Amino acid sequence: MNWLTAKRRKYGSSAEVAIRNRWAYPGDFLGLVITYGLFVFVFSRIWIAAYSGRAEIVGYDRSMATWYFIVAELVVFSSGNHFWSFAREIRDGQVAYSLGRPYGFLAYQYAQKMGLALTQWVPFAAIGGLIGTAMAGPLRFSAAQLPVFVLSFLLAASLQYLIQACLAMTAFWLEENSAFYWIYSKISLVLGTLMPLEFLPLPLMRATLFTPFPYVTYVPARIAVAWEPGRAWALVGGQVAWTVAVGLLAAAIFSRGVRKTTIHGG
Amino acid sequence: MTVIRTRNLAKSFSVRVGTRGAFSLRSLLRPEIRLVEAVKGIDLTVEEGESVAFLGPNGAGKSTTIKMMTGILYPSSGTIDVLGFDPQRDRKRLGFLIGSVFGQKSQLWYHLPPRDSFRLLGAIYEIEPRELAKRTGELVERFGLADLMDIPVRKLSLGQRIRCEIAASLLHRPRLLFLDEPTIGLDVVVKQEIRALLDEWNREGKVTIFLTSHDVGDVEKLCRRAILIHHGTILLDESVKSLKRRAGQRKIVGVRYESPTAIDIPGLEAEKRTPDAAKFFVDSGAGDLQNLIRRLVNLGPVADLTVEDEPLENLIADLYRTGSKEEADELVNR
């Protein structure tokens, strides 16, 4: 078996098994889908109130703002929240049992999370699409947007995984690290998830583009609702740069942190 | 061939010591750190084909040692060589040659049938699909898993799951198998089955076994050598056969009389006593055993008299209570 085939089988199988494990109990997933639907419904109502008497705000009409939120939250919900389980595994030493196997630990985890993201988006998109269409009319989406949007979605899910992994890996040094994730999730909610970056004061918007936060939700949501090819590719370029940078950071943290692995009760 | 060699292997952990009071500025600014030496300079060598029991009370340092040997934990000092590799530096390459079963940690996916986990492990260990099918078939037959392979793991009994775990750990044909409490929580019949399977695999020369267990049955039935570690240092390293022989030098003599009897043997205290029965520990040498039996019989009409070897478990428990190599040597040579 050549090197590439071996790696493809190794990480492809780990993604496949994670998907099968997730869908063994589809009912477990229902709660998340309902939560997402509720968020979308509430925000659609908020935008109706915010837009009363206005046709648009900084270039976004009500339909665009509603669909922006639906797509931004689609990325958040589909790529999942694995900070807690990742950090817990490190804290209680369970991560150690994975280390004795011949795979790259971060790559193995990444394959599983991406496998899940690639299937989980379907029920979220279905419920979000239904509520969005009912509350704000259909999403205006052209065929030209699709490949860029898909690429942007994959990069967003990757960046989301890597940022959460970096935060979770602080558990190698700290007993309590949940504050980091709390701060991250709140900042990213404000900087690109609840509303487009253009809604922020201009200096803040410009500064935000130098941080990784908007590259998780703002970029795919912006590409979906406000298609400008040149700007879209520039934003995707930013996503690539941040994904590489955070990926290198995650690898560095892991290689240092793994030396700090302790096994409680061992 | 030597499969494990450690020299002066040590591991210490820094533990933050808690201070009294909900808020302590001192503990925040200058926390008190205590150094715990889990393993203190272990030297050991294991040859290919051996089956070694690595014993010790809770907190003795055995799991820490195993996890350093598998590359999971980094030693504070000393060296380890496992199958020619440095486990920390070459963890992934070594992963292809070693297997591990941790009784309290499953490697099978809980909601999926074992077949899916076997397929994933095959991919992880880069086994060609055709070869994987062949090996899976062999293990399924040998471990009697045919009826279990398509049932979700959560629906298997503990014994069935452990059989699948051990078979899964052998899928990539490891040369060295680390077993950490493999029979924990299993009933007697399943324990015997698991031990027989592992023993067979070891005797056929397919794998070297390095086992930790608190179950003396695992040690007696599966291992030919025992290493005892306590307070992070090796107290004893000898064959299980010789340990059993040493344990057998002490006899347990039980006596039950037909009616209540004053069971007083001058110079020997009974370990257990009821109005009509008693149990004594006595050395088998120097005529002590003969003397005791004669004196017991002379006390009154005997309904039952038994003479048993002291269980290996007792000797191991006594060894756990010792604090140094000298005391352990003294105990086994008493």
Side-chain angles (χ1 to χ4, degrees):
Chain A
M1 199 184 307
N2 67 44
W3 183 86
L4 195 63
T5 309
K7 298 296 172 257
R8 186 179 52 74
R9 276 193 65 225
K10 188 175 295 197
Y11 297 111
S13 295
S14 84
E16 185 196 328
V17 164
I19 293 167
R20 289 158 77 101
N21 193 59
R22 154 60 89 191
W23 295 109
Y25 284 104
D28 288 358
F29 200 57
L30 200 62
L32 271 179
V33 175
I34 292 170
T35 306
Y36 173 74
L38 209 61
F39 274 23
V40 168
F41 178 74
V42 169
F43 250 78
S44 304
R45 301 292 305 170
I46 289 173
W47 285 133
I48 288 174
Y51 274 90
S52 68
R54 301 178 194 211
E56 62 164 60
I57 302 171
V58 289
Y60 286 82
D61 62 22
R62 183 171 68 81
S63 174
M64 287 166 77
T66 305
W67 280 107
Y68 178 93
F69 180 76
I70 291 170
V71 177
E73 283 291 359
L74 178 69
V75 175
V76 173
F77 275 79
S78 304
S79 52
N81 174 354
H82 57 272
F83 167 84
W84 301 106
S85 56
F86 205 145
R88 191 175 55 244
E89 273 193 37
I90 293 170
R91 254 197 306 276
D92 65 19
Q94 293 292 308
V95 68
Y97 297 106
S98 305
L99 300 178
R101 299 200 185 286
Y103 51 56
F105 177 75
L106 287 175
Y108 180 74
Q109 293 285 333
Y110 173 75
Q112 291 184 3
K113 305 306 175 210
M114 285 304 283
L116 292 178
L118 288 176
T119 54
Q120 286 180 169
W121 71 272
V122 178
F124 291 122
I127 192 88
L130 274 174
I131 297 172
T133 306
M135 307 284 289
L139 172 66
R140 296 181 290 273
F141 196 83
S142 71
Q145 279 167 273
L146 188 65
V148 191
F149 173 74
V150 170
L151 178 62
S152 173
F153 179 88
L154 293 175
L155 287 165
S158 304
L159 189 54
Q160 170 89 322
Y161 161 75
L162 290 167
I163 292 173
Q164 289 195 31
C166 286
L167 295 173
M169 284 191 291
T170 57
F172 280 122
W173 293 272
L174 302 168
E175 275 293 312
E176 176 50 56
N177 65 344
S178 52
F180 294 131
Y181 182 68
W182 191 86
I183 293 167
Y184 163 72
S185 59
K186 298 302 165 267
I187 292 177
S188 61
L189 197 65
V190 174
L191 301 182
T193 306
L194 288 181
M195 57 197 161
L197 283 189
E198 288 81 358
F199 283 40
L200 301 174
L202 194 60
L204 180 58
M205 181 200 159
R206 284 185 179 148
T208 302
L209 285 169
F210 288 100
T211 70
F213 302 105
Y215 297 96
V216 176
T217 49
Y218 170 72
V219 176
R222 161 93 196 179
I223 290 170
V225 303
W227 176 238
E228 293 170 71
R231 173 126 175 95
W233 282 114
L235 290 171
V236 168
Q239 278 187 304
V240 172
W242 273 108
T243 305
V244 171
V246 182
L248 291 173
L249 179 67
I253 294 174
F254 180 75
S255 71
R256 295 286 299 229
V258 78
R259 293 170 171 273
K260 307 287 285 184
T261 306
T262 53
I263 306 203
H264 301 290
Chain B
M1 185 200 166
T2 301
V3 291
I4 301 174
R5 177 179 287 122
T6 73
R7 288 290 169 263
N8 218 11
L9 183 66
K11 175 75 182 173
S12 48
F13 299 99
S14 298
V15 179
R16 197 172 164 152
V17 181
T19 46
R20 286 180 193 163
F23 298 101
S24 162
L25 192 63
R26 188 167 161 241
S27 73
L28 205 64
L29 299 175
R30 291 182 62 190
E32 193 183 328
I33 304 290
R34 189 160 52 89
L35 198 69
V36 177
E37 289 181 273
V39 176
K40 303 173 194 165
I42 282 184
D43 291 326
L44 69 86
T45 305
V46 176
E47 298 297 328
E48 188 154 35
E50 279 197 282
S51 52
V52 178
F54 195 53
L55 306 172
N58 291 330
K62 39 187 205 308
S63 287
T64 304
T65 307
I66 284 197
K67 278 152 194 158
M68 286 193 282
M69 288 173 179
T70 52
I72 288 173
L73 291 182
Y74 282 68
S76 305
S77 62
T79 60
I80 319 174
D81 181 300
V82 177
L83 293 160
F85 290 103
D86 173 337
Q88 281 67 39
R89 207 182 49 215
D90 305 309
R91 193 176 61 231
K92 280 190 213 166
R93 279 197 289 171
L94 182 62
F96 285 101
L97 302 175
I98 62 172
S100 50
V101 176
F102 298 95
Q104 300 187 63
K105 169 73 187 167
S106 179
Q107 59 184 322
L108 305 172
W109 285 71
Y110 190 62
H111 293 310
L112 301 178
R115 192 175 299 285
D116 286 338
S117 295
F118 275 53
R119 209 175 290 137
L120 174 61
L121 288 167
I124 287 173
Y125 287 102
E126 301 178 9
I127 305 166
E128 294 277 1
R130 197 176 298 166
E131 177 64 19
L132 176 65
K134 187 177 142 223
R135 292 187 195 182
T136 304
E138 280 171 14
L139 289 164
V140 164
E141 192 189 333
R142 179 69 75 91
F143 284 74
L145 308 178
D147 296 335
L148 312 178
M149 289 299 278
D150 297 306
I151 299 171
V153 169
R154 66 175 189 282
K155 291 189 176 169
L156 300 179
S157 69
L158 181 62
Q160 291 170 328
R161 182 176 70 74
I162 294 288
R163 256 159 57 203
C164 293
E165 295 276 356
I166 294 174
S169 71
L170 297 172
L171 201 57
H172 60 292
R173 295 192 175 156
R175 288 170 56 195
L176 171 62
L177 187 60
F178 291 99
L179 299 162
D180 192 352
E181 305 275 6
T183 61
I184 193 165
L186 300 179
D187 69 44
V188 181
V189 177
V190 180
K191 271 184 190 182
Q192 285 176 349
E193 277 176 25
I194 300 285
R195 286 170 191 155
L197 286 164
L198 287 168
D199 187 46
E200 201 177 290
W201 210 260
N202 171 250
R203 283 182 193 277
E204 285 173 9
K206 289 178 175 167
V207 72
T208 302
I209 286 178
F210 197 86
L211 166 115
T212 66
S213 179
H214 289 299
D215 188 327
V216 177
D218 287 347
V219 179
E220 287 185 284
K221 303 288 185 228
L222 199 52
C223 300
R224 292 189 285 285
R225 177 180 164 199
I227 298 172
L228 197 141
I229 178 175
H230 196 8
H231 301 306
T233 52
I234 290 178
L235 292 189
L236 184 101
D237 182 353
E238 68 176 76
S239 74
V240 172
K241 197 187 270 182
S242 138
L243 267 184
K244 278 160 89 171
R245 200 172 52 240
R246 288 175 197 279
Q249 281 169 2
R250 291 237 303 164
K251 304 290 180 191
I252 303 170
V253 179
V255 63
R256 187 165 57 79
Y257 294 95
E258 286 177 359
S259 56
T261 305
I263 314 169
D264 289 319
I265 304 293
L268 193 60
E269 196 55 47
E271 290 291 321
K272 275 186 188 168
R273 183 191 291 273
T274 63
D276 63 346
K279 197 170 263 187
F280 296 88
F281 280 82
V282 65
D283 286 335
S284 61
D288 291 355
L289 181 60
Q290 270 181 304
N291 272 337
L292 175 65
I293 292 172
R294 198 167 46 236
R295 287 156 85 179
L296 289 172
V297 170
N298 287 338
L299 289 177
V302 172
D304 193 16
L305 183 78
T306 57
V307 179
E308 298 166 62
D309 286 350
E310 184 184 13
L312 183 56
E313 194 168 39
N314 286 15
L315 177 60
I316 290 174
D318 287 343
L319 284 165
Y320 284 3
R321 289 186 199 105
T322 62
S324 66
K325 186 164 177 12
E326 290 70 32
E327 281 180 61
D329 285 343
E330 196 181 316
L331 186 73
V332 293
N333 294 317
R334 68 191 169 186

